[in-house]
Amino acid sequence: MNDNRLISILIPCYNEQASIPCLYAELCKTLSTINGYDYEIMFVNDGSTDATLNVIKDLHRQDTRVTYVSLSRNFGKENAMMAGFDNIKGDCVIILDADLQDPPTLIPDMLNYWEQGYHDVYARRSDRGKESWLRYWLTMRFYRILSHSAPFETLPNVGDFRLLDRRCIDALRQMRERDRYTKGMYCWIGFRKKELLFDRGDRYDGESKMSLPSLFNLALEGLTSFTTTPLRFASVLGLIIAMFAFLLLLFYLSKAILFGDIVRGFPTLVCIVLFLGGMQLLSIGILGEYIGHIFNETKQRPPYIIEESGAQQENHK
């Protein structure tokens, strides 16, 4: 009877046909140095349009540790990871990107901390690799805003590269919302956490699938999923503008009564009206984001649909 604990390695992928063979080779090289565990390597094909699924199937035929779940279309990385959480069998899971920016060589250190009793061993980037200054600046601003507005501790400059104990996996599986920001969920569920620093490398092939508009949408998901601060911001801004307008009204009324001044300033009036209209539209937009989340949740659609999957046949060290 094999009493080794099972380690699941979860790899969401979208159009990564060139990267997967190299990632698999690096994984095998690392796993061969670690004894005492069984492994499953689960690829989640997120509706790739290239030969990614065929490459995964070839690996599945060669190595019974390799399993896969193929989604019926591109549902996004967040939902692809949810599909992985729902289907892995391990006592813990290690999440890796398919582009080799997350080095598999950190896996032994993650397992070592896991054996010491940590439930979430996350990798913090000390170097973000090749990245435009605009993308870096916007990312850092988002982390700062989220850390000041979220009602729990957030982890800036930390992605999905981490080890999660089965208790964390089970907790994440209970969170079935459709608009997901998994990086915030890792922090929200709590448990004992341990940090590992690493230098993030450059992509093995191609360019990042996350464009600036996609990152902006993800940032909105993060802010509106875990905090009502934007709503409060709109309320406070409205109160400040209303108080300012009231004081300005008293000022002009006093001038007219005491000094007989004629109220002038048509351009100023136009600017104020346009400013107030812009603030109203901004507030409606913020409110609309939250209503949109409510609308998506009430439809109760599944967050992903599996087209096919390859089950694990046998565990190997």
Side-chain angles (χ1 to χ4, degrees):
M1 182 177 177
N2 190 351
D3 294 329
N4 291 337
R5 294 207 277 181
L6 177 63
I7 311 300
S8 296
I9 298 174
L10 175 60
I11 307 169
C13 43
Y14 175 67
N15 292 346
E16 298 287 357
Q17 62 178 16
S19 302
I20 288 175
C22 187
L23 171 62
Y24 173 74
E26 291 294 320
L27 267 177
C28 290
K29 186 187 302 182
T30 299
L31 298 182
S32 65
T33 65
I34 312 172
N35 297 317
Y37 300 102
D38 292 330
Y39 301 96
E40 71 165 345
I41 304 172
M42 174 170 283
F43 292 92
V44 179
N45 175 41
D46 189 21
S48 298
T49 57
D50 62 0
T52 294
L53 181 58
N54 292 331
V55 173
I56 294 171
K57 286 182 176 180
D58 289 339
L59 294 177
H60 174 64
R61 286 189 286 266
Q62 298 168 19
D63 188 344
T64 54
R65 297 175 302 179
V66 175
T67 67
Y68 68 91
V69 170
S70 183
L71 305 185
S72 60
R73 66 168 177 82
N74 179 244
F75 286 90
K77 183 183 178 182
E78 304 293 316
N79 289 325
M81 287 192 295
M82 184 180 185
F85 295 147
D86 288 342
N87 288 275
I88 56 174
K89 303 178 179 68
D91 297 293
C92 72
V93 62
I94 298 171
I95 307 169
L96 289 170
D97 283 347
D99 55 16
L100 284 171
Q101 289 187 289
D102 300 335
T105 51
L106 280 185
I107 290 177
D109 292 331
M110 289 181 168
L111 290 173
N112 181 46
Y113 284 122
W114 179 52
E115 293 290 358
Q116 294 178 29
Y118 291 99
H119 303 110
D120 180 355
V121 184
Y122 60 88
R124 185 190 298 274
R125 309 175 186 112
S126 56
D127 184 350
R128 295 181 60 90
K130 188 184 298 183
E131 190 176 43
S132 68
W133 70 269
L134 178 60
R135 180 168 177 160
Y136 174 81
W137 186 86
L138 291 174
T139 301
M140 292 300 101
R141 298 291 78 73
F142 164 71
Y143 282 134
R144 176 169 294 184
I145 292 172
L146 185 61
S147 65
H148 284 87
S149 58
F152 51 86
E153 182 184 6
T154 59
L155 301 173
N157 220 17
V158 175
D160 296 304
F161 184 28
R162 63 184 64 220
L163 178 149
L164 296 171
D165 182 74
R166 170 52 68 175
R167 294 176 64 185
C168 297
I169 301 167
D170 291 340
L172 289 169
R173 289 176 64 178
Q174 296 179 52
M175 304 170 71
R176 309 304 295 183
E177 54 255 47
R178 274 70 181 165
D179 299 322
R180 302 175 66 82
Y181 182 66
T182 312
K183 298 175 187 63
M185 293 179 178
Y186 299 140
C187 301
W188 187 88
I189 61 175
F191 295 107
R192 293 190 64 195
K193 300 184 183 299
K194 180 64 179 179
E195 176 184 298
L196 280 175
L197 289 175
F198 79 108
D199 293 333
R200 197 164 201 235
D202 298 328
R203 284 183 56 85
Y204 175 78
D205 179 75
E207 298 180 352
S208 174
K209 308 301 186 296
M210 294 293 289
S211 62
L212 282 178
S214 299
L215 289 173
F216 178 75
N217 290 334
L218 185 62
L220 279 181
E221 296 289 350
L223 288 174
T224 56
S225 295
F226 289 96
T227 174
T228 57
T229 298
L231 289 174
R232 292 174 182 171
F233 167 77
S235 300
V236 171
L237 185 62
L239 179 62
I240 292 174
I241 292 175
M243 291 178 62
F244 176 76
F246 179 72
L247 293 174
L248 193 63
L249 174 64
L250 290 179
F251 171 73
Y252 282 119
L253 184 61
S254 300
K255 283 185 63 178
I257 294 175
L258 297 177
F259 305 104
D261 286 354
I262 300 174
V263 178
R264 295 184 178 89
F266 179 75
T268 304
L269 181 62
V270 171
C271 291
I272 292 175
V273 170
L274 290 176
F275 175 72
L276 290 176
M279 292 300 99
Q280 288 174 335
L281 291 175
L282 174 63
S283 301
I284 292 172
I286 293 173
L287 185 61
E289 287 292 326
Y290 285 90
I291 294 176
H293 284 302
I294 297 171
F295 173 69
N296 289 333
E297 292 299 322
T298 56
K299 289 186 289 187
Q300 293 294 302
R301 291 177 181 172
Y304 61 86
I305 297 174
I306 295 177
E307 182 175 9
E308 62 175 293
S309 64
Q312 188 178 40
Q313 302 171 16
E314 181 182 352
N315 296 328
H316 291 265
K317 292 181 185 178

